Amino acid sequence: MIPEKVLAILKANDLKFYEFPEGTTPTATTAAQMLKVKVGQIAKSILFTCKSGRAYLVVCPGDRKVSPSKLKIIAGEKPRLADGNLTLRVTGFSPGGVCPFGLSGVKIIVDQSLQQYDTVFPAAGTSGSAVETNFEELVRITGAEAADVSNPMSQS
């Protein structure tokens, strides 16, 4: 079930959302299959932390991977991928269902490559949910910075 805090934001912004059985959309590939869209349209949200304690949530296409070196330029220090427990503690969401809406204390970065899609689908707080939006709305509603922070899966 989508958390009330997230639901309030979705309704306030007139965003369409989808709910599936819990656990059916934990990866970009499974989410794309459920929604019948391209994997790149799935806006996966991945948490990184730095030694300074700063946290960064990167939202990028499901068919790309976050580039730690590109993120380091923005952060000014080396980012580390957060584990599941830290992700839950910082965002309130478990990996596979991390929602970029309504977060505090986390800098949100939306990868510019999401602009290539008319519609993108971030999770709505569960591993069985999705929100239908677009790049501009995603950046505006989350208060994110748009930046180039990903690489194709084939690049390291």
Side-chain angles (χ1 to χ4, degrees):
M1 197 165 164
I2 296 173
E4 283 300 318
K5 177 174 110 173
V6 174
L7 257 166
I9 293 167
L10 301 182
K11 289 178 179 177
N13 289 280
D14 200 28
L15 293 175
K16 186 175 181 179
F17 58 91
Y18 304 87
E19 289 188 86
F20 304 104
E22 183 64 34
T24 56
T25 61
T27 68
T29 302
T30 57
Q33 290 168 347
M34 290 295 281
L35 292 162
K36 297 177 178 33
V37 298
K38 295 176 181 173
V39 175
Q41 288 179 265
I42 303 303
K44 60 185 179 183
S45 299
I46 304 167
L47 185 71
F48 290 83
T49 58
C50 298
K51 282 188 178 181
S52 67
R54 289 183 299 194
Y56 296 86
L57 186 75
V58 178
V59 183
C60 77
D63 62 353
R64 296 179 66 88
K65 61 184 177 182
V66 176
S67 166
S69 60
K70 290 179 181 181
L71 183 55
K72 182 179 179 182
I73 293 167
I74 294 168
E77 59 183 319
K78 183 179 179 180
R80 298 183 74 184
L81 180 64
D83 66 19
N85 291 330
L86 183 57
T87 298
L88 178 60
R89 197 165 65 245
V90 172
T91 68
F93 306 111
S94 295
V98 176
C99 179
F101 302 115
L103 297 179
S104 59
V106 177
K107 180 169 177 63
I108 300 170
I109 301 168
V110 175
D111 189 71
Q112 291 175 338
S113 62
L114 279 169
Q115 289 182 84
Q116 69 186 296
Y117 302 105
D118 292 334
T119 309
V120 297
F121 299 87
T126 71
S127 61
S129 65
V131 177
E132 186 172 329
T133 189
N134 62 50
F135 177 83
E136 292 79 18
E137 278 185 327
L138 182 59
V139 170
R140 179 182 58 78
I141 296 167
T142 61
E145 173 184 341
D148 173 18
V149 289
S150 74
N151 288 325
M153 288 289 193
S154 58
Q155 283 184 11
S156 52

